Amino acid sequence: MKRYLLPTVMLLCGMPIVGQTVHKGNVVVCGEKSHCFDAVQMLRSANVESLDGLTAEERSDLEFLYDYMPLADLTDYKPSFFLENVKTSIMARKEMTWGKNVPDLLFRHFVLPVRVNNENLDDSRMVFYKELKERVKGLSMKDAILEVNHWCHEKVTYRPSDGRTSAPLSTVRSAYGRCGEQSTFAVAALRAVGIPARQVYTPRWAHTDDNHAWVEAWADGKWYFLGACEPEPVLNLGWFNAPASRAMLMHTKAFGDYRGPEEVLLRTSNYTEINLIDNYVETAHMGFTVVDVDGKPVSNAKVVFKIYNYAEFCPVVTKYSDAAGRTFLTAGKGDMMVWASQNGKYGFRKVSFGKDKDVTIRLDRTVENNTAAVLYTDSFDIVPPQEKPNIPLVTPEQRAENDRRFAYEDSVRHAYLATFYTKETAKKTLTDKGLVDGMSADETEKIADLLVKSQGNHEVMLGFLLRHKDNLQRAVGLLSSLSEKDLRDMQTEILEDNFNAWSNELCPRVENEMIIHPFKQFFEKTFSKKNIGRIQKDPTLLVEWVKKNIRLNPDEKALMIAQTPVGVWNSRVTDRRSRKIFFVDVARSLGIEARVDAVTQKTQYRKDGEWIDVDFDGTVQKVSDNGFLNLSYKGNGIIDDPKYYSHFSISRINPDGSTSLLEYPEVGTTWNSTFKNKVELDAGQYVLVSGTRLASGGVMSAMQIFSVEKGKTTEVAMQLRTSPTAVTVIGNFDSESKFQKLDGSEVSLLSQTGRGYFITGLVGVGQEPTNHALKDIAKVASAFEKWNRPIVLLFEDEAAANKFNKNEFSGLPENIIYGIDKDGKIRKQISENMKLSHPGLSPIFIISDTFNRVVYKSQGYTIGLGEQMEMIINKL
């Protein structure tokens, strides 16, 4: 078959749209669904064939990228973009002294690939290479890795945000990123200078609620790890050494069909998921057999390994059984839930790595409707691995030099941050430009807040507002519909496309997809006015067109990077996620209110005031054809109003037997606010998981499976398990210990706290674990204020105290006393008395009383710290 160059190629599968405008170019007709995989392969090869004058090396590398890149990259980026990246990668390999020592295997899979995660692709490789090549010139490979990370710290520091991963250049522009963005950025920087690098994830911690991402880089025959944008004096050192030693799993996705020494978790048409847990903890290897109700092996069953985290058994690895029903996993020595499913049958079992040997999972449950409300109830004690960190040696001289550089790099970044708008400078600019003439103070405040949130993207946002002074209400409405991250990285052409479209469905975002090309005016012009009117009256016409014309890539394991809607339109081949986004974007472009429901992930459109479900594989159903859940809770004496994600969660059991979490809003979703007086759910089966996280990191969990019938209410009683022995005296601490108040005076803890229990915290300023801890404490500030006992937060020295900005942690309890642990005396005492293996690791929190009894301690990275301490103080 003749090959054609994107974007002129169109794959017309099925019936043509009524009144569509067919773009000029070649058309390949593909009438059968089975041909769609051939179409994807054709898309892969078409781009390489279109480029002339390539060297053999360039062609080979470019073909490698196109052989394995996800469909979104095929349809949404030009061949010239990937060729420029290939040329820069080859140049770096030749110009960097270590280039000749990097094996082809590692170059292909960990240097050449442009994509790191699910970020927008940008020109970062070319930009970073120009900026870094002289900086690392003449260094050893290991020193170059450290140097690149210092450069990364000059550009970016940690700040939590939503789950969309910003592109490296966008992260630089904002100067902030969550760990997934910091590590994506750092990997991009290392690859730019020819150093093999990969982003490593612990998908969920086993001992605390959250996950983390960092970087592994290869030097002289060995992989090393580092905290992205968190430079240390040596490699294999980060604040996460200790929590990493308690992990159950670390993994990464190697681009392409990687054949390295690591254990393979999954091979797909795009990537090889590999297991890196052996690099960090003591592990155990376990085999699993999936059988049916008659005990016969089940091949190609989906086997999902789940770690208890955020009050759910969270999927962290998906594997498939072989012809004998077998699969395996290597993991840290702790507990997981293993859930197997196929064709509406499922089964599960809690397993203990290092204790259990070989496990059989029987598919003895069915998703078919069952009139019984509660189908299953059981409890599980979940035990995480023990902490056994390996900390490399750092000399005092190395630490002092690293601290000096760290402070300088902070100053470089702060100088850039000083160019961002504050609320005051934003208001002045708006006034000087005449943008808020005649507006109320509240309206001015709202627009100023948009400029402040846009950070390094403020010129784009201000320019957009200035261009539309005559219709500022629509312009502000559009900006107000965006997430904070969108304000930081959305570019002019996207804003103008949405503003100038006639549709009043202003928001360009459906979920966490990439938005890299305009689309609303494209679809306005593509559809005739007559057909737009018909679709507005009857949106099922659009549903039916999508069902008939947009075919799914049959490769269900392919990486689901969301395609742009125009990319879907041009290729007519997509995946399930991108199809949802495509439908919503087209519907909104035609003036129809549509969404992907944030809780259920269902595609919906609104008609006559009612949300209608879209089922691309069957009929269109109404949301109102559902049942109800009445979740009762009597209290356990400690938690009055359980929080979703902290104390309980609900997952839907899908028709195939797998599970999907109901993703209620993270803020404000509690039993009392959402579930106490019935909540509407689709008919079907669900899993309710509840749990109490103990100070040890273990969990007392419970699981209930229940069914919801159409038009009926299911009654389920939720209980949070408790243990009378969970809080015990675990050590001692002298309450007469002295610290320095911020006014310079020296006082004892007892003199400031009075008799009774109190909290002491030793914190590190600007460090992610401390930031997490303080934000967690702020979340439950009311509980600490109700307790009305002091919280003493101690900084390392005066410089750290002066650097601390309380305004970055809004909502901290009022009963905090700030001070300085002069000469580290209190840290030393706690370390010795509590037998801390790593005294320098921050933060450290203890709960003790003035009889010198310690009942709780936490060191390092502990998500949910505030809630853990809340549970302890409620039991005292």
Side-chain angles (χ1 to χ4, degrees):
M1 179 180 288
K2 187 177 180 181
R3 294 169 174 173
Y4 300 100
L5 174 64
L6 278 179
T8 59
V9 65
M10 296 181 63
L11 305 175
L12 302 181
C13 303
M15 297 176 61
I17 188 170
V18 287
Q20 72 174 19
T21 299
V22 179
H23 300 285
K24 293 180 180 180
N26 296 292
V27 177
V28 176
V29 178
C30 164
E32 299 293 333
K33 186 174 182 178
S34 61
H35 292 168
C36 290
F37 186 72
D38 294 334
V40 174
Q41 297 304 315
M42 187 196 70
L43 292 174
R44 285 202 167 110
S45 60
N47 294 282
V48 180
E49 290 297 316
S50 71
L51 296 170
D52 297 323
L54 302 180
T55 67
E57 186 177 14
E58 290 168 349
R59 177 172 294 278
S60 177
D61 287 346
L62 194 60
E63 286 177 342
F64 173 77
L65 292 182
Y66 272 100
D67 279 345
Y68 296 106
M69 69 173 58
L71 186 56
D73 294 353
L74 286 166
T75 60
D76 293 329
Y77 296 91
K78 296 178 180 179
S80 57
F81 168 78
F82 292 107
L83 178 58
E84 188 176 11
N85 276 272
V86 164
K87 288 183 175 181
T88 304
S89 300
I90 293 172
M91 180 169 58
R93 192 179 194 186
K94 292 177 179 178
E95 293 185 354
M96 297 292 103
T97 55
W98 49 79
K100 62 181 179 297
N101 299 323
V102 175
D104 289 343
L105 176 73
L106 298 186
F107 177 79
R108 275 288 174 92
H109 294 281
F110 299 111
V111 176
L112 184 63
V114 183
R115 178 170 297 288
V116 178
N117 195 304
N118 59 356
E119 74 279 11
N120 296 355
L121 304 184
D122 62 17
D123 292 332
S124 58
R125 179 154 308 194
M126 288 65 74
V127 174
F128 292 173
Y129 181 66
K130 290 178 181 177
E131 188 162 346
L132 281 168
K133 64 178 182 179
E134 292 301 321
R135 184 157 174 163
V136 299
K137 188 175 181 180
L139 297 178
S140 70
M141 221 173 166
K142 289 172 66 174
D143 286 342
I145 294 169
L146 294 170
E147 187 62 33
V148 169
N149 206 26
H150 277 290
W151 176 83
C152 289
H153 180 239
E154 287 181 12
K155 305 291 185 181
V156 176
T157 192
Y158 176 80
R159 177 179 288 180
S161 63
D162 64 43
R164 177 170 69 85
T165 304
S166 63
L169 290 175
S170 294
T171 302
V172 171
R173 189 182 303 118
S174 69
Y176 292 107
R178 56 178 175 79
C179 62
E181 290 164 328
Q182 288 179 300
S183 51
T184 296
F185 163 54
V187 168
L190 288 163
R191 289 181 180 178
V193 292
I195 295 175
R198 56 198 186 192
Q199 182 186 48
V200 180
Y201 260 104
T202 178
R204 293 296 173 98
W205 295 116
H207 69 289
T208 189
D209 293 330
D210 204 9
N211 62 358
H212 191 53
W214 58 89
V215 174
E216 284 188 354
W218 184 91
D220 305 322
K222 185 178 179 180
W223 287 97
Y224 298 87
F225 69 82
L226 58 149
C229 309
E230 298 169 330
E232 292 284 357
V234 296
L235 296 173
N236 286 349
L237 179 61
W239 61 261
F240 51 88
N241 279 64
S245 72
R246 303 194 72 183
M248 294 285 296
L249 181 77
M250 277 89 166
H251 65 172
T252 191
K253 290 181 172 69
F255 185 88
D257 185 17
Y258 173 65
R259 301 283 171 171
E262 300 89 347
E263 177 182 287
V264 173
L265 298 174
L266 184 67
R267 289 192 190 276
T268 76
S269 59
N270 307 124
Y271 64 89
T272 306
E273 186 176 2
I274 55 177
N275 193 353
L276 303 176
I277 188 66
D278 282 322
N279 295 350
Y280 298 88
V281 305
E282 185 179 342
T283 63
H285 186 84
M286 190 182 301
F288 301 86
T289 304
V290 183
V291 300
D292 62 18
V293 290
D294 298 320
K296 296 179 180 179
V298 178
S299 65
N300 203 38
K302 180 186 285 188
V303 184
V304 181
F305 297 85
K306 302 185 176 192
I307 294 174
Y308 183 95
N309 197 283
Y310 281 129
E312 68 160 326
F313 288 111
C314 177
V316 295
V317 171
T318 298
K319 303 193 75 172
Y320 294 85
S321 60
D322 62 17
R326 299 281 297 169
T327 190
F328 62 88
L329 183 69
T330 301
K333 292 184 176 181
D335 295 346
M336 280 192 195
M337 184 70 70
V338 184
W339 187 290
S341 61
Q342 187 186 71
N343 299 331
K345 306 290 184 181
Y346 65 93
F348 52 87
R349 181 171 169 178
K350 190 200 93 167
V351 299
S352 297
F353 283 83
K355 295 181 180 179
D356 297 334
K357 298 300 181 184
D358 198 84
V359 172
T360 298
I361 302 174
R362 188 179 299 272
L363 303 186
D364 55 0
R365 299 183 179 277
T366 178
V367 189
E368 294 175 0
N369 288 335
N370 194 309
T371 56
V374 178
L375 308 174
Y376 170 88
T377 300
D378 204 351
S379 59
F380 304 96
D381 292 333
I382 307 298
V383 179
Q386 294 297 308
E387 183 177 304
K388 295 180 181 179
N390 182 16
I391 309 292
L393 177 66
V394 176
T395 67
E397 293 77 17
Q398 287 176 313
R399 175 56 62 193
E401 174 60 15
N402 196 77
D403 289 347
R404 182 194 66 77
R405 293 197 64 180
F406 202 97
Y408 169 74
E409 289 149 14
D410 277 343
S411 71
V412 172
R413 190 177 60 260
H414 290 157
Y416 171 64
L417 291 172
T419 66
F420 294 1
Y421 279 115
T422 64
K423 189 63 71 71
E424 291 70 27
T425 58
K427 287 179 181 178
K428 183 177 186 305
T429 298
L430 292 171
T431 301
D432 293 345
K433 300 290 185 181
L435 280 168
V436 291
D437 293 346
M439 287 190 175
S440 67
D442 287 345
E443 290 171 323
T444 300
E445 189 86 7
K446 179 180 180 180
I447 301 175
D449 190 50
L450 292 171
L451 285 183
V452 172
K453 290 178 179 177
S454 67
Q455 297 179 352
N457 202 34
H458 57 81
E459 291 183 2
V460 169
M461 295 301 161
L462 179 60
F464 174 72
L465 291 170
L466 288 171
R467 285 192 299 275
H468 300 293
K469 290 175 65 174
D470 296 337
N471 194 354
L472 203 57
Q473 182 177 3
R474 183 175 175 87
V476 172
L478 170 56
L479 298 187
S480 299
S481 75
L482 303 178
S483 69
E484 289 193 22
K485 189 172 289 182
D486 287 334
L487 292 171
R488 297 198 295 266
D489 65 12
M490 191 164 286
Q491 294 303 293
T492 297
E493 61 177 355
I494 307 296
L495 297 173
E496 294 295 340
D497 175 61
N498 285 270
F499 180 89
N500 292 313
W502 55 260
S503 171
N504 287 323
E505 297 299 317
L506 288 173
C507 185
R509 178 162 299 289
V510 178
E511 36 115 313
N512 278 333
E513 77 276 17
M514 302 183 294
I515 302 178
I516 56 177
H517 299 308
F519 60 87
K520 280 191 175 170
Q521 293 181 83
F522 172 87
F523 289 115
E524 284 180 8
K525 297 171 184 176
T526 297
F527 289 80
S528 68
K529 290 183 179 180
K530 178 181 178 181
N531 282 308
I532 291 174
R534 290 174 60 194
I535 293 172
Q536 287 176 334
K537 291 180 181 179
D538 184 8
T540 60
L541 292 174
L542 181 60
V543 178
E544 290 302 313
W545 183 87
V546 172
K547 288 165 62 175
K548 293 175 181 177
N549 292 275
I550 303 300
R551 298 304 186 186
L552 290 178
N553 181 0
D555 182 4
E556 293 286 348
K557 297 178 185 177
L559 190 61
M560 289 191 184
I561 302 294
Q563 286 169 270
T564 64
V566 176
V568 174
W569 174 269
N570 283 338
S571 68
R572 305 297 169 93
V573 181
T574 192
D575 56 46
R576 294 185 183 277
R577 178 192 176 198
S578 298
R579 182 173 63 177
K580 292 180 179 182
I581 297 168
F582 172 80
F583 174 84
V584 173
D585 280 335
V586 174
R588 289 178 179 175
S589 299
L590 305 185
I592 301 166
E593 193 174 355
R595 70 182 184 185
V596 172
D597 182 77
V599 175
T600 64
Q601 302 303 302
K602 293 188 298 185
T603 311
Q604 299 174 324
Y605 63 85
R606 194 171 181 88
K607 183 173 175 59
D608 299 327
E610 186 177 24
W611 285 107
I612 309 297
D613 291 350
V614 174
D615 183 354
F616 293 113
D617 300 315
T619 60
V620 179
Q621 300 171 339
K622 292 186 177 181
V623 173
S624 57
D625 292 338
N626 293 333
F628 298 90
L629 168 66
N630 187 24
L631 187 63
S632 61
Y633 174 70
K634 294 184 179 179
N636 62 3
I638 301 172
I639 304 298
D640 296 326
D641 186 17
K643 299 180 181 68
Y644 202 79
Y645 301 117
S646 294
H647 305 114
F648 73 101
S649 68
I650 299 174
S651 296
R652 172 77 183 270
I653 302 181
N654 300 315
D656 65 354
S658 63
T659 62
S660 297
L661 180 69
L662 299 185
E663 299 183 35
Y664 288 94
E666 186 173 354
V667 178
T669 301
T670 68
W671 168 74
N672 187 59
S673 69
T674 307
F675 297 91
K676 183 178 181 180
N677 298 313
K678 292 199 307 186
V679 64
E680 189 174 7
L681 296 176
D682 289 345
Q685 286 187 21
Y686 294 84
V687 181
L688 168 66
V689 175
S690 61
T692 300
R693 178 78 74 177
L694 304 178
S696 65
V699 180
M700 301 176 64
S701 73
M703 187 167 75
Q704 294 170 280
I705 299 177
F706 63 90
S707 65
V708 173
E709 291 187 81
K710 177 181 175 181
K712 296 183 180 181
T713 298
T714 297
E715 303 281 345
V716 178
M718 177 177 66
Q719 292 185 343
L720 287 177
R721 298 171 58 204
T722 59
S723 169
T725 61
V727 178
T728 59
V729 177
I730 59 174
N732 61 82
F733 172 61
D734 184 8
S735 62
E736 294 282 2
S737 300
K738 290 184 169 53
F739 71 96
Q740 180 180 307
K741 295 182 70 175
L742 297 185
D743 62 8
S745 61
E746 189 176 65
V747 295
S748 70
L749 285 164
L750 179 60
S751 71
Q752 302 301 299
T753 64
R755 289 291 178 184
Y757 282 97
F758 62 98
I759 296 172
T760 304
L762 302 170
V763 297
V765 178
Q767 298 174 359
E768 182 176 347
T770 291
N771 292 349
H772 271 297
L774 295 182
K775 289 179 185 296
D776 280 347
I777 290 172
K779 288 179 182 178
V780 290
S782 59
F784 290 111
E785 290 169 352
K786 181 180 178 181
W787 184 46
N788 199 31
R789 295 295 302 148
I791 301 173
V792 182
L793 291 186
L794 301 178
F795 304 105
E796 183 179 11
D797 51 33
E798 291 183 2
N802 293 332
K803 187 178 177 181
F804 178 73
N805 182 3
K806 183 181 177 182
N807 294 329
E808 293 182 3
F809 306 95
S810 60
L812 284 171
E814 295 296 327
N815 49 325
I816 291 181
I817 300 170
Y818 295 94
I820 297 168
D821 180 21
K822 195 171 182 181
D823 300 323
K825 293 179 180 178
I826 291 179
R827 178 182 290 270
K828 181 179 180 180
Q829 182 194 159
I830 293 175
S831 175
E832 291 175 350
N833 291 350
M834 302 305 300
K835 296 180 172 58
L836 300 182
S837 55
H838 305 289
L841 186 64
S842 294
I844 298 172
F845 283 87
I846 64 169
I847 301 177
S848 60
D849 66 4
T850 45
F851 293 100
N852 300 335
R853 298 177 299 185
V854 178
V855 296
Y856 173 84
K857 78 168 176 68
S858 171
Q859 183 179 22
Y861 183 73
T862 305
I863 296 299
L865 173 75
E867 292 174 349
Q868 285 187 20
M869 292 197 294
E870 179 188 6
M871 285 197 300
I872 298 297
I873 64 177
N874 285 339
K875 284 189 173 185
L876 297 177

